[in-house]
Amino acid sequence: MATSREIVADAFAHKKSERIPAGVCLGGSWPFFIEGVTLEELLEQPPTVAAAFYRVMERVDADFVTVGAGATALLIEALGGEIKFISNGAPEISSLLIASETDIDALNISKALKSERMAWLREVARETVRLNQGRRSIFVSGRAPFTLAGQLLGLETLSKSLYKNKALVEKLLAFTTDLSVAYYEFMLEVDGIDGIFIADPSASGDVVSSRHFEAAVIPHITEVLRRLAPHGKLSLLHICGDITDRLHLLEQTGIQMVSVDSKVNLAEAKRILNGKVGLSGNANPVFVIEELTAAEVYAEARKCIDAAAFNGGFMLLPGCDLSAKASEENVRAFVRAAHEWRC
Amino acid sequence: MSDAERLFESLARAIIDADETAAVQLSETILAKGFDSAKAIERGISVGMEKVGDFFEKSEYFIPDLLDCAAVAERATAILRKGLAKEPVSRGKIVMGTIFGDTHDIGKNIVALFMEAAGYKVLDLGKDVSARRFIDAAVQWKADVLAISTLMTTTRGNIQNVIEQLRLDGKRESFLILIGGRAVTREFAQTIGADGYAENAAETIRLLDKF
């Protein structure tokens, strides 16, 4: 019988395998809620963080496991930003690092990656890989250049600057592209990581137009993937909102699989991607995984699979990050739907 | 069509096109010719922003477009205000904010801009606003509506705390409660006893106009 890790690799290679792989965490907070601990409590304790996270992944039997999800604000903190730990989710950025083009010059990526926080994050990844022993597929989670730009400048200012200050946007995106690449390379120094998971929530189909997506999002994801290609890792991209009108642009980036929001019709996405890019998704994390019964969650997950799993190249994922109130029983039912489906 | 009406229509067009130069020129011309500034705001700026909201609903405009148009509307409004003999009668007073625990506010900020462009007076409390702050502000400001947003599923329950606290204070009937944001739905609004739910800025204005 194939391992979870092999099943995931088959999906990324568009090979038919004995079952569909499933993952549950696009962000990283839900396992900590389930375990009744907070990330802040666990800082300075990489083995405890990894164990808490991985224990939940084992219990729900996820094939796809992320490291670093829910901790992306730590990278901003390492650059000199201020973050705030909150009880109901991932740490938040509490002050913006950039107000003008000159502020970008003051940021030092190499120095940031030498910070204690980043060493801590890499140690969590190392410990997760050790606990995993090659069974599940481990992906390093990070942010795409456009979303990082929003974290540094503020999404509102970034949005306005797309029209009013193109020079700032270009300079900032060049910086965040370097930052994204450097972050992934830093984390990929851990042996046993299978892939990179790039989250780009601010490039949501509800936020930016297809035109801005093509100009300010696509070239930078392409560049990140081009520079990381020598590592030979699997790659998964998640973008929030309805991105149906721009799915056709993703093939050129070199991404292997795209994770879509529950707003996207999976069958239509499958048709547009046409086997050139893999697809994952997309049960609604609140209105399905949190609010329905386990049996109903199972049925909804099967609908996703039925819509998009034919011919391989599919992984079952929630359409966005799990809600803190999602029950473990429901999440287990979600994964079971994939594991019980036979190709 | 009168000269004034033509200018108001052109101003609406300038708002829709986010053409700041044209909007400023038109607003100054309206002032110089002594046309009714209040009507210019209503028939130029409000009409233009209403159309911008329609374009957003049809996915023809996105967040950067809304912000761009709203900035032009703000600039033109500031010019036209100089021609007002007195502050125009507000269509209603709204206290708004993002609920406690949630710091996502871009959607709320856009809705506030639309409310102002539509002639409502808005007191924006910002983000991470507690139930007590919402209620105290609404009471002190004599608001008609409390508008509360949240993007996060983990914080939407806090909206219910505002409603429950209003009941405990015996003030639930003093304010209409309007909610919005990605984490809430029409059904959720009904469940917690809010008076209305709007999916976006344009729908918010339509709903407020009905209240």
Side-chain angles (χ1 to χ4, degrees):
Chain A
M1 201 170 80
T3 63
S4 284
R5 194 171 177 222
E6 288 162 345
I7 297 280
V8 171
D10 283 348
F12 274 76
H14 297 263
K15 281 189 203 162
K16 283 193 175 178
S17 58
E18 58 196 70
R19 63 172 173 80
I20 300 295
V24 298
C25 281
L26 299 184
S29 301
W30 180 77
F32 295 117
F33 289 124
I34 288 293
E35 286 288 282
V37 294
T38 67
L39 185 61
E40 188 176 20
E41 286 167 3
L42 299 174
L43 280 178
E44 318 305 334
Q45 304 174 52
T48 316
V49 174
F53 194 93
Y54 195 80
R55 198 159 47 235
V56 178
M57 294 300 106
E58 277 196 313
R59 286 209 303 269
V60 301
D61 203 11
D63 302 296
F64 163 82
V65 174
T66 52
V67 291
T72 59
L74 299 183
L75 180 60
I76 305 300
E77 187 190 36
L79 278 170
E82 288 175 17
I83 65 169
K84 185 172 100 177
F85 287 91
I86 57 173
S87 60
N88 56 0
E92 291 180 346
I93 296 157
S94 51
S95 66
L96 299 171
L97 268 174
I98 289 178
S100 68
E101 278 183 67
T102 50
D103 292 339
I104 300 170
D105 300 327
L107 301 178
N108 186 326
I109 296 172
S110 307
K111 191 176 161 195
L113 294 177
K114 285 179 187 137
S115 72
E116 278 183 27
R117 277 281 205 262
M118 296 313 295
W120 172 88
L121 198 54
R122 191 163 60 183
E123 199 48 40
V124 171
R126 194 167 278 129
E127 183 62 17
T128 306
V129 167
R130 192 189 67 75
L131 291 167
N132 185 50
Q133 297 180 326
R135 288 172 292 168
R136 301 171 201 281
S137 199
I138 309 278
F139 277 56
V140 168
S141 178
R143 295 285 167 117
F146 189 82
T147 291
L148 283 170
Q151 288 184 308
L152 291 170
L153 184 65
L155 182 57
E156 194 165 332
T157 309
L158 177 64
S159 296
K160 287 177 184 168
S161 302
L162 285 169
Y163 282 118
K164 299 291 185 200
N165 195 346
K166 289 179 183 170
L168 171 64
V169 173
E170 279 176 23
K171 186 170 177 177
L172 183 54
L173 286 172
F175 173 79
T176 54
T177 299
D178 289 343
L179 179 63
S180 187
V181 170
Y183 164 79
Y184 283 113
E185 290 196 317
F186 172 82
M187 295 296 282
L188 289 175
E189 286 175 20
V190 176
D191 285 336
I193 300 285
D194 296 296
I196 57 167
F197 173 47
I198 306 175
D200 208 354
S202 298
S204 165
D206 299 333
V207 175
V208 294
S209 65
S210 187
R211 188 167 62 85
H212 279 138
F213 187 83
E214 192 165 4
V217 176
I218 288 286
H220 301 283
I221 291 175
T222 306
E223 179 64 6
V224 168
L225 289 166
R226 186 189 70 74
R227 286 162 63 181
L228 293 174
H231 293 275
K233 301 296 180 186
L234 304 176
S235 58
L236 174 68
L237 171 69
H238 175 80
I239 301 175
C240 295
D242 186 355
I243 56 166
T244 310
D245 68 348
R246 57 205 73 174
L247 277 170
H248 66 284
L249 298 170
L250 294 176
E251 184 190 348
Q252 64 185 277
T253 66
I255 197 75
Q256 291 172 315
M257 186 177 279
V258 60
S259 149
V260 293
D261 190 297
S262 45
K263 287 185 172 182
V264 173
N265 179 305
L266 275 182
E268 177 69 358
K270 183 88 173 179
R271 188 190 65 74
I272 294 167
L273 294 171
N274 196 25
K276 305 281 176 32
V277 178
L279 178 63
S280 58
N282 74 342
N284 190 298
V286 179
F287 309 126
V288 172
I289 300 177
E290 178 190 330
E291 294 187 348
L292 299 185
T293 64
E296 288 167 334
V297 170
Y298 185 95
E300 290 296 319
R302 287 298 292 260
K303 282 184 195 168
C304 296
I305 295 166
D306 289 341
F310 60 92
N311 294 334
F314 179 74
M315 177 160 68
L316 183 69
L317 283 178
C320 203
D321 198 11
L322 284 180
S323 147
K325 291 182 183 165
S327 72
E328 191 172 323
E329 182 193 6
N330 280 11
V331 174
R332 278 206 301 265
F334 180 74
V335 174
R336 201 170 65 248
H339 289 184
E340 290 177 357
W341 193 86
R342 290 291 171 264
C343 298
Chain B
M1 188 187 281
S2 68
D3 283 355
E5 289 294 340
R6 257 192 293 278
L7 282 168
F8 300 160
E9 196 175 278
S10 298
L11 179 57
R13 187 72 246 168
I15 301 295
I16 295 164
D17 294 340
D19 186 340
E20 188 168 358
T21 309
V24 167
Q25 272 178 2
L26 287 160
S27 302
E28 284 171 348
T29 304
I30 289 165
L31 274 188
K33 288 185 180 278
F35 294 138
D36 188 334
S37 287
K39 279 188 181 160
I41 289 171
E42 184 190 328
R43 295 182 195 171
I45 292 169
S46 297
V47 167
M49 285 301 282
E50 194 180 324
K51 195 73 188 165
V52 169
D54 290 345
F55 283 162
F56 181 73
E57 285 190 317
K58 292 177 190 159
S59 295
E60 290 174 31
Y61 276 16
F62 292 83
I63 300 290
D65 307 290
L66 296 190
L67 292 167
D68 209 22
C69 295
V72 174
E74 271 189 316
R75 179 96 197 268
T77 304
I79 294 166
L80 290 167
R81 274 188 192 281
K82 294 175 200 161
L84 297 173
K86 55 179 183 177
E87 274 293 302
V89 176
S90 151
R91 298 176 69 190
K93 292 168 84 175
I94 301 162
V95 164
M96 73 181 310
T98 304
I99 194 65
F100 179 69
D102 192 346
T103 58
H104 299 86
D105 64 350
I106 187 167
K108 182 264 300 169
N109 295 347
I110 288 168
V111 170
L113 291 168
F114 273 73
M115 287 171 172
E116 283 170 346
Y120 292 93
K121 286 195 85 167
V122 177
L123 176 62
D124 185 352
L125 301 176
K127 50 198 178 185
D128 197 14
V129 181
S130 68
R132 179 46 58 202
R133 260 188 82 207
F134 267 121
I135 295 166
D136 288 350
V139 170
Q140 282 167 20
W141 210 53
K142 296 187 172 66
D144 303 298
V145 177
L146 258 171
I148 309 171
S149 80
T150 187
L151 181 88
M152 292 167 65
T153 57
T154 48
T155 54
R156 66 180 189 159
N158 295 343
I159 297 176
Q160 197 166 2
N161 296 345
V162 179
I163 296 173
E164 280 169 10
Q165 191 59 52
L166 275 170
R167 284 201 184 103
L168 288 171
D169 292 359
K171 294 192 170 71
R172 174 63 188 91
E173 302 310 316
S174 306
F175 312 103
L176 290 162
I177 312 271
L178 174 60
I179 69 168
R182 173 96 200 250
V184 294
T185 60
R186 212 171 301 283
E187 293 72 32
F188 181 75
Q190 284 168 357
T191 305
I192 65 169
D195 298 298
Y197 159 83
E199 192 174 334
N200 54 47
E203 194 180 343
T204 305
I205 303 306
R206 284 196 294 273
L207 193 58
L208 286 170
D209 290 349
K210 275 192 215 163
F211 277 165

